[in-house]
Amino acid sequence: MSLVVTGTIGIDSVQTSSGSAEGVMGGSCTYFAAAASLLGPVRVVAVVGDDWPAEHESALASFPQIDLAGLERRTGSSTFRWGGKYHDDMNERDTLFTDLGVLEEAPPPVPDQYTDSKIVFLANTHPAVQAGMLAHFPNRELVVADTMNLWIDIARDDLGSLLQRIDGLVLNDSEACQLTERSNLVEAAAAICDMGPTFVVIKKGEHGAFLHHPDGQAVLPAMPLDASQVVDPTGCGDSFAGGMMGHLAATGRCDLPTIREALAWGTVAASHTIAEFGLGGLQAATEESMRERFDRFRSITSF
Ligand code: AMP
């Protein structure tokens, strides 16, 4: 089924205990699309400014099944920029700066050929922008969104409206607690579903993910990685969502067993992302390396 993602494409500066990277390609949409493209076709709706480096665009275009017809390069505008620094344990990070740039302007237009998209992923950006995007996809059958602490802090009402219009929400554990004002993740997940979505996936970093669905629950660990394999967690959440949604699009199903398997594909995608700064880890991935790691993950988690 046709998959489209809307969200941010930007330029990141990242510091981790493994080193630092300046001016690397980043953004919620970027990591999502790169990961999803390893499982099937994905359409991109995003906007960058005229400072967007040509080498970033060609790197993005080199992913096997990314359709960039919906990527607008806006003259006279600045690309979204984000900087972050990870704590030594790589689980927590501090945002050093967020320059919204072109994201403060009108959202990008959606190409006519995208309007038949059946599966819509609203990658992290302002919830009002996420909600506005839905009007462009009248044939949507499944809508899943991501969000983050910033929007819970400054756009809670818009987020509340968005939650009533989506089927699934993906967010991390601290955000789930912040959104619901609960400290227990099982209760937080149920409380989120009371706000609108049918299912919720709570990401727990190196501790895996938890799915709350009307037909039941599921938990998956993260891929066991040693310290040398953990270089930069930036984009792991978006890549996780890309792997997950890529699998749902490939199967055309959204029942509990399929979402559970999709979480495993998300885990595999994220394990590639974390191995290098920026998109380097996903650039090194192939359909074969994804499958090989998926099989290994399955054997690790089955009992
Ligand atoms: P993740 O590590 O999966 O949470 O995603 C990190 C990516 O999100 C980075 O590449 C950033 O460019 C992007 N990002 C950071 N802050 C925001 C924001 N407020 N809205 C949208 N994207 C963001």
Side-chain angles (χ1 to χ4, degrees):
M1 285 171 96
S2 44
L3 171 64
V4 66
V5 56
T6 71
T8 63
I9 291 188
I11 300 172
D12 287 351
S13 296
V14 181
Q15 300 170 39
T16 77
S17 48
S18 293
S20 61
E22 279 287 320
V24 290
M25 179 160 48
S28 57
C29 189
T30 317
Y31 283 103
F32 178 97
S37 78
L38 292 162
L39 296 170
V42 55
R43 300 163 165 178
V44 168
V45 177
V47 57
V48 292
D50 49 17
D51 55 348
W52 174 242
E55 66 265 27
H56 284 358
E57 177 137 354
S58 47
L60 196 54
S62 70
F63 280 90
Q65 303 182 78
I66 287 192
D67 179 345
L68 294 179
L71 172 58
E72 184 194 2
R73 300 135 197 101
R74 194 169 295 170
T75 308
S77 301
S78 307
T79 301
F80 168 69
R81 287 176 190 258
W82 174 82
K85 182 174 182 182
Y86 285 82
H87 299 186
D88 284 343
D89 68 1
M90 297 278 207
N91 281 324
E92 301 285 326
R93 73 179 176 211
D94 298 319
T95 290
L96 301 179
F97 62 86
T98 303
D99 295 337
L100 292 175
V102 68
L103 301 185
E104 290 189 289
E105 304 169 15
V110 177
D112 288 345
Q113 68 267 30
Y114 283 12
T115 54
D116 63 355
S117 300
K118 296 275 192 296
I119 303 187
V120 181
F121 187 77
L122 304 169
N124 185 26
T125 193
H126 195 294
V129 175
Q130 291 175 303
M133 280 292 165
L134 290 179
H136 300 285
F137 305 110
N139 299 308
R140 62 188 185 272
E141 292 179 10
L142 175 70
V143 181
V144 180
D146 187 6
T147 193
M148 71 181 296
N149 52 356
L150 175 67
W151 310 123
I152 300 170
D153 279 336
I154 70 169
R156 189 179 268 271
D157 289 349
D158 288 323
L159 183 57
S161 306
L162 177 73
L163 292 178
Q164 291 169 27
R165 302 184 62 194
I166 62 176
D167 303 295
L169 182 71
V170 180
L171 76 179
N172 73 27
D173 43 6
S174 62
E175 292 156 354
C177 293
Q178 184 188 355
L179 178 60
T180 59
E181 295 171 357
R182 288 169 198 258
S183 54
N184 178 289
L185 286 188
V186 177
E187 292 176 15
I192 289 170
C193 288
D194 287 342
M195 296 175 183
T198 305
F199 68 89
V200 59
V201 177
I202 299 182
K203 300 166 290 174
K204 302 188 290 171
E206 67 172 324
H207 303 297
F210 170 61
L211 166 68
H212 180 93
H213 185 278
D215 296 335
Q217 298 169 331
V219 283
L220 257 83
M223 181 73 81
L225 299 172
D226 66 41
S228 70
Q229 297 168 302
V230 179
V231 173
D232 174 16
T234 308
C236 277
D238 306 309
S239 311
F240 177 91
M244 170 185 144
M245 298 301 296
H247 183 68
L248 296 184
T251 58
R253 295 197 306 270
C254 193
D255 50 88
L256 178 64
T258 309
I259 302 179
R260 192 169 187 278
E261 200 165 78
L263 300 187
W265 283 107
T267 303
V268 165
S271 76
H272 281 91
T273 298
I274 204 166
E276 291 188 37
F277 282 100
L279 284 219
L282 286 172
Q283 281 170 313
T286 60
E287 287 178 26
E288 292 70 39
S289 71
M290 291 279 287
R291 167 54 68 179
E292 178 273 322
R293 217 174 273 194
F294 180 85
D295 290 343
R296 189 149 50 90
F297 188 59
R298 195 200 289 275
S299 74
I300 291 169
T301 52
S302 65
F303 59 89

